[in-house]
Short mmCIF file of all heavy atoms in Angstrom, two decimals:
data_model
loop_
_atom_site.label_atom_id
_atom_site.label_comp_id
_atom_site.label_asym_id
_atom_site.label_seq_id
_atom_site.Cartn_x
_atom_site.Cartn_y
_atom_site.Cartn_z
N MET L 22 -15.54 61.32 52.36
CA MET L 22 -16.18 59.99 52.71
C MET L 22 -16.32 59.96 54.21
O MET L 22 -17.34 59.31 54.62
CB MET L 22 -15.22 58.90 52.23
CG MET L 22 -15.35 58.58 50.85
SD MET L 22 -14.68 57.10 50.29
CE MET L 22 -14.87 56.98 48.54
N LYS L 34 -14.81 52.85 55.21
CA LYS L 34 -14.74 51.84 54.17
C LYS L 34 -15.98 51.50 53.51
O LYS L 34 -16.01 51.29 52.44
CB LYS L 34 -13.92 50.60 54.76
CG LYS L 34 -13.61 49.57 53.74
CD LYS L 34 -12.75 50.10 52.63
CE LYS L 34 -13.07 49.39 51.47
NZ LYS L 34 -11.83 49.42 50.50
N SER L 37 -16.78 53.88 50.95
CA SER L 37 -15.97 53.62 49.81
C SER L 37 -16.59 52.46 49.06
O SER L 37 -16.65 52.51 47.84
CB SER L 37 -14.53 53.22 50.28
OG SER L 37 -13.77 52.72 49.27
N ARG L 70 -7.84 59.43 44.89
CA ARG L 70 -7.99 58.09 44.31
C ARG L 70 -6.69 57.90 43.34
O ARG L 70 -6.06 56.72 43.48
CB ARG L 70 -9.21 58.08 43.48
CG ARG L 70 -9.47 56.73 42.81
CD ARG L 70 -10.92 56.64 42.40
NE ARG L 70 -11.35 55.31 42.62
CZ ARG L 70 -11.90 54.52 41.79
NH1 ARG L 70 -11.88 55.00 40.45
NH2 ARG L 70 -12.22 53.35 41.94
N ARG L 73 -3.68 57.17 45.46
CA ARG L 73 -3.79 55.69 46.05
C ARG L 73 -3.49 54.65 44.96
O ARG L 73 -2.83 53.66 45.22
CB ARG L 73 -5.12 55.42 46.77
CG ARG L 73 -5.14 54.24 47.61
CD ARG L 73 -4.21 54.33 48.80
NE ARG L 73 -3.49 53.19 48.78
CZ ARG L 73 -3.65 52.16 49.56
NH1 ARG L 73 -4.45 52.30 50.51
NH2 ARG L 73 -2.92 51.12 49.49
P DG U 16 -9.71 66.42 52.70
OP1 DG U 16 -10.50 67.59 52.20
OP2 DG U 16 -9.83 66.24 54.20
"O5'" DG U 16 -9.86 65.10 51.93
"C5'" DG U 16 -9.90 65.21 50.50
"C4'" DG U 16 -9.85 63.78 50.02
"O4'" DG U 16 -8.71 63.15 50.49
"C3'" DG U 16 -11.04 62.90 50.44
"O3'" DG U 16 -11.59 62.25 49.46
"C2'" DG U 16 -10.32 61.92 51.53
"C1'" DG U 16 -8.96 61.76 50.92
N9 DG U 16 -7.88 61.49 51.88
C8 DG U 16 -7.82 61.81 53.22
N7 DG U 16 -6.79 61.33 53.82
C5 DG U 16 -6.09 60.68 52.80
C6 DG U 16 -4.99 59.95 52.85
O6 DG U 16 -4.12 59.77 53.85
N1 DG U 16 -4.61 59.44 51.52
C2 DG U 16 -5.32 59.56 50.47
N2 DG U 16 -4.86 58.93 49.44
N3 DG U 16 -6.45 60.18 50.53
C4 DG U 16 -6.86 60.77 51.61
P DT U 17 -12.82 61.24 49.46
OP1 DT U 17 -13.68 61.56 48.45
OP2 DT U 17 -13.27 61.16 50.86
"O5'" DT U 17 -12.22 59.84 49.14
"C5'" DT U 17 -11.57 59.67 47.82
"C4'" DT U 17 -10.56 58.63 47.78
"O4'" DT U 17 -9.61 58.76 48.94
"C3'" DT U 17 -10.91 57.08 47.99
"O3'" DT U 17 -11.18 56.57 46.74
"C2'" DT U 17 -9.72 56.52 48.62
"C1'" DT U 17 -8.95 57.78 49.05
N1 DT U 17 -8.56 57.69 50.63
C2 DT U 17 -7.35 57.09 51.02
O2 DT U 17 -6.67 56.50 50.26
N3 DT U 17 -7.22 57.07 52.32
C4 DT U 17 -7.94 57.62 53.26
O4 DT U 17 -7.69 57.66 54.51
C5 DT U 17 -9.15 58.37 52.76
C7 DT U 17 -10.04 58.98 53.85
C6 DT U 17 -9.46 58.26 51.46
P DT U 18 -11.96 55.19 46.65
OP1 DT U 18 -12.29 54.94 45.25
OP2 DT U 18 -12.82 55.02 47.86
"O5'" DT U 18 -10.55 54.25 47.03
"C5'" DT U 18 -9.57 53.99 46.11
"C4'" DT U 18 -8.52 52.98 46.57
"O4'" DT U 18 -8.05 53.52 47.94
"C3'" DT U 18 -9.10 51.62 46.83
"O3'" DT U 18 -8.02 50.75 46.34
"C2'" DT U 18 -9.32 51.48 48.28
"C1'" DT U 18 -8.25 52.37 48.88
N1 DT U 18 -8.58 52.99 50.20
C2 DT U 18 -7.58 52.87 51.18
O2 DT U 18 -6.63 52.35 51.04
N3 DT U 18 -7.95 53.50 52.35
C4 DT U 18 -9.16 54.19 52.79
O4 DT U 18 -9.27 54.61 53.82
C5 DT U 18 -10.18 54.20 51.66
C7 DT U 18 -11.36 54.76 51.82
C6 DT U 18 -9.75 53.60 50.40
P DG U 19 -8.47 49.18 46.09
OP1 DG U 19 -7.88 48.97 44.75
OP2 DG U 19 -9.84 48.81 46.39
"O5'" DG U 19 -7.46 48.45 47.19
"C5'" DG U 19 -6.16 48.57 47.04
"C4'" DG U 19 -5.47 47.87 48.25
"O4'" DG U 19 -5.64 48.51 49.49
"C3'" DG U 19 -5.90 46.45 48.42
"O3'" DG U 19 -4.80 45.60 48.72
"C2'" DG U 19 -6.93 46.53 49.52
"C1'" DG U 19 -6.31 47.66 50.36
N9 DG U 19 -7.33 48.39 51.09
C8 DG U 19 -8.47 48.92 50.65
N7 DG U 19 -9.21 49.65 51.54
C5 DG U 19 -8.38 49.61 52.67
C6 DG U 19 -8.64 50.15 53.88
O6 DG U 19 -9.65 50.93 54.18
N1 DG U 19 -7.58 49.92 54.74
C2 DG U 19 -6.37 49.21 54.37
N2 DG U 19 -5.52 49.15 55.31
N3 DG U 19 -6.10 48.76 53.10
C4 DG U 19 -7.24 48.99 52.37
P DT U 20 -4.99 43.99 48.97
OP1 DT U 20 -3.85 43.47 48.27
OP2 DT U 20 -6.41 43.79 48.69
"O5'" DT U 20 -4.76 43.89 50.52
"C5'" DT U 20 -3.87 44.76 51.23
"C4'" DT U 20 -3.78 44.40 52.74
"O4'" DT U 20 -4.83 45.36 53.21
"C3'" DT U 20 -4.33 43.01 52.93
"O3'" DT U 20 -3.43 42.54 54.13
"C2'" DT U 20 -5.68 43.16 53.55
"C1'" DT U 20 -5.72 44.54 54.11
N1 DT U 20 -6.91 45.28 54.19
C2 DT U 20 -7.37 46.00 55.40
O2 DT U 20 -6.65 46.05 56.29
N3 DT U 20 -8.54 46.59 55.35
C4 DT U 20 -9.41 46.69 54.21
O4 DT U 20 -10.46 47.19 54.31
C5 DT U 20 -8.94 45.89 53.08
C7 DT U 20 -9.82 45.83 51.87
C6 DT U 20 -7.78 45.20 53.14
#
Side-chain angles (χ1 to χ4, degrees):
Chain L
M22 284 191 178
K34 181 65 211 204
S37 171
R70 185 162 214 240
R73 191 62 234 257

